[in-house]
Protein backbone atom coordinates (compact mmCIF):
# COMPACT_ATOMS: atom_id res chain seq x y z
CA UNK A 1 0.00 0.00 0.00
CA UNK A 2 1.40 3.40 -0.97
CA UNK A 3 1.89 5.98 1.69
CA UNK A 4 -1.05 8.25 2.43
CA UNK A 5 0.99 11.38 1.65
CA UNK A 6 1.78 10.10 -1.84
CA UNK A 7 -1.87 9.44 -2.47
CA UNK A 8 -2.82 12.94 -1.31
CA UNK A 9 -0.17 14.36 -3.64
CA UNK A 10 -1.57 12.34 -6.50
CA UNK A 11 -5.06 13.67 -5.78
CA UNK A 12 -3.77 17.22 -5.67
CA UNK A 13 -1.90 16.78 -8.97
CA UNK A 14 -5.00 15.36 -10.63
CA UNK A 15 -7.04 18.38 -9.56
CA UNK A 16 -4.37 20.79 -10.78
CA UNK A 17 -4.24 18.94 -14.12
CA UNK A 18 -8.01 19.12 -14.40
CA UNK A 19 -7.79 22.85 -13.70
CA UNK A 20 -5.37 23.25 -16.61
CA UNK A 21 -7.84 21.52 -18.92
CA UNK A 22 -10.61 23.81 -17.70
CA UNK A 23 -8.41 26.84 -18.29
CA UNK A 24 -7.71 25.80 -21.86
CA UNK A 25 -11.44 25.24 -22.44
CA UNK A 26 -12.33 28.71 -21.17
CA UNK A 27 -9.75 30.18 -23.52
CA UNK A 28 -10.75 28.06 -26.51
CA UNK A 29 -14.48 28.62 -26.03
CA UNK A 30 -14.15 32.40 -26.30
CA UNK A 31 -11.30 32.51 -28.82
CA UNK A 32 -13.12 30.12 -31.13
CA UNK A 33 -15.51 33.05 -31.52
CA UNK A 34 -12.89 35.80 -31.57
CA UNK A 35 -10.93 34.02 -34.30
CA UNK A 36 -13.94 32.25 -35.86
CA UNK A 37 -12.04 29.03 -35.49
CA UNK A 38 -14.18 25.89 -35.53
CA UNK A 39 -11.21 23.71 -34.61
CA UNK A 40 -10.90 25.45 -31.25
CA UNK A 41 -14.61 24.83 -30.66
CA UNK A 42 -14.11 21.11 -31.35
CA UNK A 43 -11.24 21.14 -28.87
CA UNK A 44 -13.60 22.34 -26.12
CA UNK A 45 -16.04 19.51 -26.80
CA UNK A 46 -13.27 16.94 -26.70
CA UNK A 47 -11.76 18.42 -23.54
CA UNK A 48 -15.17 18.27 -21.87
CA UNK A 49 -15.11 14.49 -22.26
CA UNK A 50 -11.67 14.34 -20.62
CA UNK A 51 -12.81 16.62 -17.80
CA UNK A 52 -15.83 14.40 -17.10
CA UNK A 53 -13.59 11.35 -17.02
CA UNK A 54 -11.24 13.03 -14.57
CA UNK A 55 -14.11 14.16 -12.37
CA UNK A 56 -15.16 10.56 -11.85
CA UNK A 57 -11.61 9.36 -11.22
CA UNK A 58 -10.93 12.12 -8.69
CA UNK A 59 -14.20 11.46 -6.92
CA UNK A 60 -13.37 7.76 -6.67
CA UNK A 61 -9.87 8.48 -5.42
CA UNK A 62 -10.98 11.01 -2.77
CA UNK A 63 -13.71 8.68 -1.49
CA UNK A 64 -11.31 5.74 -1.42
CA UNK A 65 -8.76 7.75 0.60
CA UNK A 66 -11.45 8.77 3.08
CA UNK A 67 -12.38 5.13 3.59
CA UNK A 68 -8.89 3.67 3.60
CA UNK A 69 -6.99 6.11 5.80
CA UNK A 70 -9.74 7.65 7.92
CA UNK A 71 -7.93 10.98 8.07
CA UNK A 72 -8.50 13.60 10.75
CA UNK A 73 -8.44 17.40 10.98
CA UNK A 74 -6.47 19.02 8.19
CA UNK A 75 -6.28 15.94 5.94
CA UNK A 76 -9.99 15.41 6.31
CA UNK A 77 -10.64 19.03 5.32
CA UNK A 78 -8.31 18.56 2.35
CA UNK A 79 -10.32 15.57 1.13
CA UNK A 80 -13.77 17.13 1.56
CA UNK A 81 -12.44 20.28 -0.16
CA UNK A 82 -11.09 18.16 -3.01
CA UNK A 83 -14.53 16.61 -3.52
CA UNK A 84 -16.11 20.08 -3.79
CA UNK A 85 -13.38 21.58 -5.98
CA UNK A 86 -13.75 18.63 -8.33
CA UNK A 87 -17.45 19.40 -8.76
CA UNK A 88 -16.77 23.09 -9.39
CA UNK A 89 -14.19 22.30 -12.06
CA UNK A 90 -16.51 19.91 -13.83
CA UNK A 91 -19.28 22.53 -13.93
CA UNK A 92 -16.86 25.04 -15.42
CA UNK A 93 -16.26 22.55 -18.21
CA UNK A 94 -20.03 22.55 -18.82
CA UNK A 95 -20.06 26.37 -18.97
CA UNK A 96 -17.25 26.32 -21.55
CA UNK A 97 -19.37 23.96 -23.66
CA UNK A 98 -22.37 26.31 -23.32
CA UNK A 99 -20.19 29.19 -24.52
CA UNK A 100 -18.90 27.14 -27.41
CA UNK A 101 -22.40 26.21 -28.55
CA UNK A 102 -23.27 29.90 -28.74
CA UNK A 103 -19.96 30.64 -30.45
CA UNK A 104 -20.62 28.05 -33.15
CA UNK A 105 -23.89 29.79 -34.03
CA UNK A 106 -22.42 33.28 -33.82
CA UNK A 107 -19.39 32.56 -35.98
CA UNK A 108 -21.69 31.92 -38.93
CA UNK A 109 -23.03 35.47 -38.76
CA UNK A 110 -21.39 38.88 -39.12
CA UNK A 111 -20.01 40.32 -35.87
CA UNK A 112 -22.17 43.07 -34.41
CA UNK A 113 -19.18 44.71 -32.70
CA UNK A 114 -15.61 44.02 -31.66
CA UNK A 115 -15.75 41.67 -28.68
CA UNK A 116 -13.45 43.77 -26.49
CA UNK A 117 -14.93 43.06 -23.06
CA UNK A 118 -15.88 39.41 -23.45
CA UNK A 119 -12.29 38.19 -24.06
CA UNK A 120 -11.26 40.39 -21.13
CA UNK A 121 -13.79 38.65 -18.86
CA UNK A 122 -12.59 35.28 -20.19
CA UNK A 123 -8.98 36.11 -19.30
CA UNK A 124 -9.96 37.25 -15.82
CA UNK A 125 -12.02 34.10 -15.26
CA UNK A 126 -9.20 31.91 -16.57
CA UNK A 127 -6.74 33.67 -14.24
CA UNK A 128 -9.11 33.10 -11.32
CA UNK A 129 -9.22 29.37 -12.02
CA UNK A 130 -5.43 29.29 -12.29
CA UNK A 131 -4.90 31.20 -9.05
CA UNK A 132 -7.57 29.25 -7.17
CA UNK A 133 -5.84 25.97 -8.05
CA UNK A 134 -2.40 27.41 -7.24
CA UNK A 135 -3.77 28.63 -3.91
CA UNK A 136 -5.06 25.10 -3.32
CA UNK A 137 -1.74 23.44 -4.20
CA UNK A 138 0.35 25.96 -2.23
CA UNK A 139 -2.11 26.38 0.67
CA UNK A 140 -1.85 30.09 -0.07
CA UNK A 141 -4.58 32.07 1.69
CA UNK A 142 -3.47 35.41 0.24
CA UNK A 143 -3.76 34.13 -3.30
CA UNK A 144 -7.19 32.71 -2.49
CA UNK A 145 -8.30 36.15 -1.24
CA UNK A 146 -7.03 37.68 -4.47
CA UNK A 147 -9.39 35.36 -6.38
CA UNK A 148 -12.31 36.63 -4.31
CA UNK A 149 -11.42 40.21 -5.21
CA UNK A 150 -11.19 39.43 -8.95
CA UNK A 151 -14.78 38.25 -8.87
CA UNK A 152 -15.97 41.83 -8.28
CA UNK A 153 -14.16 42.97 -11.42
CA UNK A 154 -15.79 40.19 -13.43
CA UNK A 155 -19.22 41.24 -12.21
CA UNK A 156 -18.52 44.85 -13.15
CA UNK A 157 -17.40 43.95 -16.68
CA UNK A 158 -20.35 41.61 -17.15
CA UNK A 159 -22.75 44.42 -16.23
CA UNK A 160 -21.01 46.74 -18.71
CA UNK A 161 -21.40 44.12 -21.46
CA UNK A 162 -25.11 43.71 -20.66
CA UNK A 163 -25.73 47.46 -20.79
CA UNK A 164 -23.95 47.84 -24.08
CA UNK A 165 -25.75 44.90 -25.66
CA UNK A 166 -29.14 46.14 -24.47
CA UNK A 167 -28.43 49.41 -26.26
CA UNK A 168 -27.48 47.58 -29.45
CA UNK A 169 -30.70 45.61 -29.41
CA UNK A 170 -32.80 48.69 -28.87
CA UNK A 171 -31.13 50.60 -31.67
CA UNK A 172 -31.09 47.81 -34.22
CA UNK A 173 -33.51 44.91 -33.84
CA UNK A 174 -31.50 42.90 -36.39
CA UNK A 175 -28.86 42.39 -33.67
CA UNK A 176 -31.22 40.90 -31.07
CA UNK A 177 -30.43 37.21 -31.61
CA UNK A 178 -26.70 37.81 -31.64
CA UNK A 179 -26.82 40.18 -28.66
CA UNK A 180 -28.76 37.67 -26.58
CA UNK A 181 -26.21 35.00 -27.48
CA UNK A 182 -23.38 37.29 -26.36
CA UNK A 183 -25.22 38.02 -23.10
CA UNK A 184 -25.42 34.32 -22.38
CA UNK A 185 -21.70 33.97 -23.12
CA UNK A 186 -20.93 36.79 -20.66
CA UNK A 187 -23.17 35.16 -18.11
CA UNK A 188 -21.49 31.78 -18.49
CA UNK A 189 -18.12 33.43 -17.95
CA UNK A 190 -19.44 35.10 -14.83
CA UNK A 191 -20.63 31.70 -13.57
CA UNK A 192 -17.16 30.26 -14.21
CA UNK A 193 -15.74 33.07 -12.08
CA UNK A 194 -18.30 32.17 -9.38
CA UNK A 195 -17.09 28.57 -9.38
CA UNK A 196 -13.48 29.80 -9.06
CA UNK A 197 -14.65 31.89 -6.11
CA UNK A 198 -16.17 28.78 -4.53
CA UNK A 199 -12.81 27.03 -4.87
CA UNK A 200 -11.00 29.98 -3.27
CA UNK A 201 -13.46 29.86 -0.36
CA UNK A 202 -12.82 26.13 0.05
CA UNK A 203 -9.07 26.82 0.08
CA UNK A 204 -9.47 29.44 2.81
CA UNK A 205 -11.53 26.98 4.81
CA UNK A 206 -8.96 24.25 4.29
CA UNK A 207 -5.95 26.41 5.15
CA UNK A 208 -7.31 28.57 7.92
CA UNK A 209 -10.22 26.51 9.11
CA UNK A 210 -12.33 29.64 8.71
CA UNK A 211 -15.56 29.66 6.81
CA UNK A 212 -15.75 32.72 4.58
CA UNK A 213 -18.83 31.65 2.71
CA UNK A 214 -21.67 34.10 3.07
CA UNK A 215 -19.41 36.74 4.58
CA UNK A 216 -18.08 39.97 3.12
CA UNK A 217 -14.54 38.58 2.79
CA UNK A 218 -13.92 40.45 -0.48
CA UNK A 219 -14.24 43.82 1.22
CA UNK A 220 -11.27 43.16 3.50
CA UNK B 1 -21.99 10.07 22.41
CA UNK B 2 -25.13 9.63 20.36
CA UNK B 3 -25.38 6.61 18.15
CA UNK B 4 -24.04 6.97 14.61
CA UNK B 5 -27.43 6.05 13.08
CA UNK B 6 -29.13 8.86 14.98
CA UNK B 7 -26.57 11.33 13.72
CA UNK B 8 -27.05 10.15 10.14
CA UNK B 9 -30.80 10.56 10.56
CA UNK B 10 -30.30 14.05 11.87
CA UNK B 11 -28.15 14.92 8.87
CA UNK B 12 -30.76 13.52 6.52
CA UNK B 13 -33.54 15.48 8.23
CA UNK B 14 -31.53 18.68 8.02
CA UNK B 15 -31.04 18.22 4.28
CA UNK B 16 -34.73 17.49 3.75
CA UNK B 17 -35.63 20.62 5.77
CA UNK B 18 -33.22 22.68 3.71
CA UNK B 19 -34.85 21.28 0.57
CA UNK B 20 -38.25 22.48 1.80
CA UNK B 21 -36.86 25.99 2.26
CA UNK B 22 -35.43 25.89 -1.25
CA UNK B 23 -38.78 24.73 -2.62
CA UNK B 24 -40.58 27.61 -0.97
CA UNK B 25 -38.01 30.05 -2.35
CA UNK B 26 -38.44 28.76 -5.90
CA UNK B 27 -42.19 29.20 -5.55
CA UNK B 28 -41.99 32.63 -3.94
CA UNK B 29 -39.41 33.96 -6.39
CA UNK B 30 -41.64 33.32 -9.39
CA UNK B 31 -44.98 34.03 -7.74
CA UNK B 32 -43.72 37.34 -6.39
CA UNK B 33 -43.72 38.31 -10.06
CA UNK B 34 -46.93 36.53 -11.04
CA UNK B 35 -48.83 38.21 -8.21
CA UNK B 36 -46.66 41.35 -8.09
CA UNK B 37 -46.21 40.72 -4.41
CA UNK B 38 -43.19 42.39 -2.84
CA UNK B 39 -43.72 40.55 0.44
CA UNK B 40 -43.05 37.21 -1.28
CA UNK B 41 -39.84 38.67 -2.71
CA UNK B 42 -38.69 39.70 0.77
CA UNK B 43 -39.45 36.19 1.96
CA UNK B 44 -36.96 34.78 -0.59
CA UNK B 45 -34.21 37.10 0.63
CA UNK B 46 -34.85 36.13 4.23
CA UNK B 47 -34.99 32.42 3.40
CA UNK B 48 -31.66 32.72 1.57
CA UNK B 49 -30.02 33.74 4.87
CA UNK B 50 -31.53 30.67 6.57
CA UNK B 51 -30.38 28.40 3.74
CA UNK B 52 -26.83 29.71 3.98
CA UNK B 53 -26.83 29.11 7.72
CA UNK B 54 -28.06 25.55 7.21
CA UNK B 55 -25.47 24.89 4.54
CA UNK B 56 -22.66 25.64 6.99
CA UNK B 57 -24.26 23.57 9.77
CA UNK B 58 -24.77 20.58 7.48
CA UNK B 59 -21.24 20.80 6.15
CA UNK B 60 -19.87 20.87 9.69
CA UNK B 61 -22.03 17.94 10.75
CA UNK B 62 -21.14 15.78 7.73
CA UNK B 63 -17.42 16.47 8.14
CA UNK B 64 -17.60 15.77 11.86
CA UNK B 65 -19.34 12.43 11.25
CA UNK B 66 -16.68 11.45 8.72
CA UNK B 67 -13.94 12.16 11.26
CA UNK B 68 -15.66 10.70 14.29
CA UNK B 69 -17.07 7.43 12.95
CA UNK B 70 -14.80 6.72 9.97
CA UNK B 71 -17.64 5.07 8.09
CA UNK B 72 -17.19 2.57 5.27
CA UNK B 73 -18.97 1.67 2.04
CA UNK B 74 -22.61 2.76 2.02
CA UNK B 75 -22.38 5.14 4.98
CA UNK B 76 -19.33 6.76 3.47
CA UNK B 77 -21.18 7.25 0.18
CA UNK B 78 -24.11 8.69 2.11
CA UNK B 79 -21.86 11.29 3.76
CA UNK B 80 -19.99 12.33 0.62
CA UNK B 81 -23.36 12.57 -1.19
CA UNK B 82 -24.73 14.71 1.65
CA UNK B 83 -21.82 17.14 1.24
CA UNK B 84 -22.57 17.49 -2.48
CA UNK B 85 -26.35 17.72 -2.10
CA UNK B 86 -25.84 20.45 0.48
CA UNK B 87 -23.85 22.52 -2.04
CA UNK B 88 -26.47 22.02 -4.75
CA UNK B 89 -29.27 23.16 -2.44
CA UNK B 90 -27.37 26.27 -1.41
CA UNK B 91 -26.78 27.22 -5.04
CA UNK B 92 -30.49 26.81 -5.77
CA UNK B 93 -31.11 29.36 -3.03
CA UNK B 94 -28.80 31.74 -4.90
CA UNK B 95 -30.73 31.15 -8.14
CA UNK B 96 -34.01 31.98 -6.36
CA UNK B 97 -32.45 35.25 -5.22
CA UNK B 98 -31.35 36.00 -8.80
CA UNK B 99 -34.91 35.40 -9.99
CA UNK B 100 -36.29 37.62 -7.25
CA UNK B 101 -33.99 40.48 -8.13
CA UNK B 102 -35.28 40.37 -11.69
CA UNK B 103 -38.85 40.04 -10.42
CA UNK B 104 -38.51 43.15 -8.26
CA UNK B 105 -37.54 45.19 -11.33
CA UNK B 106 -40.18 43.62 -13.57
CA UNK B 107 -43.05 44.09 -11.14
CA UNK B 108 -42.69 47.86 -11.46
CA UNK B 109 -43.42 47.71 -15.19
CA UNK B 110 -46.42 46.55 -17.20
CA UNK B 111 -46.40 42.84 -18.07
CA UNK B 112 -45.50 42.15 -21.68
CA UNK B 113 -47.50 38.93 -21.75
CA UNK B 114 -49.13 36.41 -19.43
CA UNK B 115 -46.34 34.40 -17.82
CA UNK B 116 -47.83 31.03 -18.68
CA UNK B 117 -44.69 28.97 -19.22
CA UNK B 118 -42.42 30.44 -16.56
CA UNK B 119 -44.65 29.42 -13.62
CA UNK B 120 -44.94 26.01 -15.28
CA UNK B 121 -41.14 25.66 -15.35
CA UNK B 122 -41.02 26.83 -11.73
CA UNK B 123 -43.49 24.14 -10.68
CA UNK B 124 -41.56 21.47 -12.55
CA UNK B 125 -38.27 22.59 -10.99
CA UNK B 126 -39.84 22.72 -7.52
CA UNK B 127 -41.23 19.20 -8.02
CA UNK B 128 -37.79 17.99 -9.08
CA UNK B 129 -36.23 19.35 -5.89
CA UNK B 130 -38.98 17.72 -3.84
CA UNK B 131 -38.61 14.36 -5.56
CA UNK B 132 -34.81 14.43 -5.49
CA UNK B 133 -34.85 14.94 -1.71
CA UNK B 134 -37.56 12.29 -1.26
CA UNK B 135 -35.47 9.91 -3.37
CA UNK B 136 -32.52 10.71 -1.09
CA UNK B 137 -34.48 10.13 2.12
CA UNK B 138 -36.18 6.96 0.85
CA UNK B 139 -33.15 5.62 -1.10
CA UNK B 140 -35.57 5.43 -4.05
CA UNK B 141 -33.70 4.92 -7.33
CA UNK B 142 -36.90 4.96 -9.43
CA UNK B 143 -37.88 8.35 -8.10
CA UNK B 144 -34.36 9.63 -8.75
CA UNK B 145 -34.66 8.48 -12.38
CA UNK B 146 -37.97 10.30 -12.66
CA UNK B 147 -36.17 13.51 -11.69
CA UNK B 148 -33.67 12.98 -14.52
CA UNK B 149 -36.53 12.63 -16.99
CA UNK B 150 -38.24 15.83 -15.79
CA UNK B 151 -35.11 17.77 -16.66
CA UNK B 152 -35.73 17.18 -20.37
CA UNK B 153 -39.18 18.72 -20.06
CA UNK B 154 -37.72 21.77 -18.30
CA UNK B 155 -35.19 22.23 -21.12
CA UNK B 156 -37.96 21.99 -23.70
CA UNK B 157 -40.11 24.61 -21.98
CA UNK B 158 -37.15 26.93 -21.45
CA UNK B 159 -36.37 26.80 -25.17
CA UNK B 160 -40.00 27.61 -25.97
CA UNK B 161 -39.87 30.62 -23.64
CA UNK B 162 -36.66 31.84 -25.30
CA UNK B 163 -38.14 31.55 -28.77
CA UNK B 164 -41.29 33.40 -27.80
CA UNK B 165 -39.37 36.19 -26.08
CA UNK B 166 -37.00 36.63 -29.02
CA UNK B 167 -40.05 37.16 -31.24
CA UNK B 168 -41.45 39.74 -28.83
CA UNK B 169 -38.21 41.67 -28.82
CA UNK B 170 -37.97 41.67 -32.57
CA UNK B 171 -41.54 42.86 -33.01
CA UNK B 172 -41.50 45.52 -30.33
CA UNK B 173 -38.20 46.94 -29.15
CA UNK B 174 -39.91 48.49 -26.12
CA UNK B 175 -40.11 44.97 -24.64
CA UNK B 176 -36.37 44.22 -24.88
CA UNK B 177 -35.38 44.97 -21.28
CA UNK B 178 -38.31 43.05 -19.87
CA UNK B 179 -37.85 40.14 -22.27
CA UNK B 180 -34.18 39.79 -21.38
CA UNK B 181 -35.10 39.80 -17.68
CA UNK B 182 -37.63 37.02 -18.31
CA UNK B 183 -35.03 35.02 -20.25
CA UNK B 184 -32.69 35.19 -17.29
CA UNK B 185 -35.49 34.07 -14.99
CA UNK B 186 -36.17 31.08 -17.25
CA UNK B 187 -32.47 30.31 -17.31
CA UNK B 188 -32.16 30.45 -13.54
CA UNK B 189 -35.07 28.02 -13.26
CA UNK B 190 -33.35 25.71 -15.71
CA UNK B 191 -30.19 25.86 -13.58
CA UNK B 192 -32.23 24.98 -10.49
CA UNK B 193 -33.51 21.95 -12.40
CA UNK B 194 -29.90 21.06 -13.24
CA UNK B 195 -28.97 21.15 -9.58
CA UNK B 196 -31.93 18.87 -8.79
CA UNK B 197 -30.62 16.55 -11.51
CA UNK B 198 -27.21 16.54 -9.82
CA UNK B 199 -28.87 15.50 -6.56
CA UNK B 200 -30.77 12.70 -8.31
CA UNK B 201 -27.48 11.46 -9.81
CA UNK B 202 -25.88 11.48 -6.37
CA UNK B 203 -28.82 9.48 -5.02
CA UNK B 204 -28.42 6.87 -7.75
CA UNK B 205 -24.74 6.64 -6.96
CA UNK B 206 -25.44 6.33 -3.26
CA UNK B 207 -28.19 3.71 -3.62
CA UNK B 208 -26.88 1.62 -6.49
CA UNK B 209 -23.20 2.45 -6.39
CA UNK B 210 -23.48 3.25 -10.10
CA UNK B 211 -22.21 6.45 -11.56
CA UNK B 212 -24.74 7.88 -14.01
CA UNK B 213 -23.01 11.21 -14.47
CA UNK B 214 -22.08 11.86 -18.05
CA UNK B 215 -24.19 8.95 -19.30
CA UNK B 216 -27.46 8.96 -21.20
CA UNK B 217 -29.43 7.82 -18.13
CA UNK B 218 -32.42 9.98 -19.00
CA UNK B 219 -33.06 8.07 -22.22
CA UNK B 220 -33.63 4.76 -20.38
Amino acid sequence: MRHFRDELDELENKLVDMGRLVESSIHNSVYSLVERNEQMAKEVMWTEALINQQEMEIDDLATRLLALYQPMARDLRFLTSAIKINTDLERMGDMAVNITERALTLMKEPAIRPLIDIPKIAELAQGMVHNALDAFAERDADLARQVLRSDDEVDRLRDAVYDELLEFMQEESGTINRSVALMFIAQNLERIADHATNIAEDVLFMVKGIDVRHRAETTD
Side-chain angles (χ1 to χ4, degrees), chain A residues 17-30:
Chain A
D17 287 348
M18 189 174 166
R20 297 295 172 261
L21 285 180
V22 168
E23 274 188 64
S24 79
S25 278
I26 297 167
H27 177 87
N28 287 332
S29 67
V30 169

Side-chain angles (χ1 to χ4, degrees), chain A residues 11-163:
Chain A
L11 178 62
E12 184 179 299
N13 291 337
K14 275 174 179 285
L15 277 167
V16 171
D17 287 348
M18 189 174 166
R20 297 295 172 261
L21 285 180
V22 168
E23 274 188 64
S24 79
S25 278
I26 297 167
H27 177 87
N28 287 332
S29 67
V30 169
Y31 281 82
S32 73
L33 178 59
V34 173
E35 302 179 3
R36 292 172 176 261
N37 180 335
E38 212 168 88
Q39 195 51 46
M40 287 172 107
K42 279 187 192 144
E43 199 61 39
V44 177
M45 303 308 191
W46 169 242
T47 306
E48 164 71 358
L50 299 179
I51 290 171
N52 290 346
Q53 197 57 45
Q54 292 197 352
E55 185 207 5
M56 292 194 276
E57 283 176 26
I58 289 170
D59 217 33
D60 287 348
L61 178 57
T63 309
R64 195 167 56 75
L65 295 184
L66 278 172
L68 207 55
Y69 294 98
Q70 300 156 352
M72 305 289 282
R74 200 174 162 123
D75 292 335
L76 176 64
R77 288 209 303 265
F78 174 86
L79 287 171
T80 56
S81 298
I83 288 172
K84 290 181 195 176
I85 291 170
N86 189 33
T87 304
D88 278 307
L89 288 173
E90 188 273 330
R91 306 255 164 102
M92 292 186 204
D94 289 342
M95 310 293 104
V97 168
N98 292 346
I99 292 170
T100 305
E101 285 165 356
R102 300 278 177 181
L104 282 168
T105 311
L106 282 169
M107 69 175 75
K108 290 183 196 111
E109 300 180 45
I112 55 173
R113 47 160 296 200
L115 292 166
I116 302 164
D117 278 341
I118 285 179
K120 210 185 282 174
I121 302 176
E123 273 155 38
L124 268 173
Q126 193 187 331
M128 287 170 70
V129 178
H130 191 93
N131 288 338
L133 268 294
D134 270 5
F136 172 70
E138 307 293 334
R139 274 72 168 162
D140 185 339
D142 290 334
L143 191 56
R145 284 204 188 83
Q146 190 182 313
V147 173
L148 302 191
R149 283 190 298 270
S150 302
D151 197 39
D152 296 336
E153 173 68 1
V154 168
D155 288 349
R156 199 187 61 71
L157 280 170
R158 190 256 340 246
D159 288 343
V161 167
Y162 282 1
D163 289 346

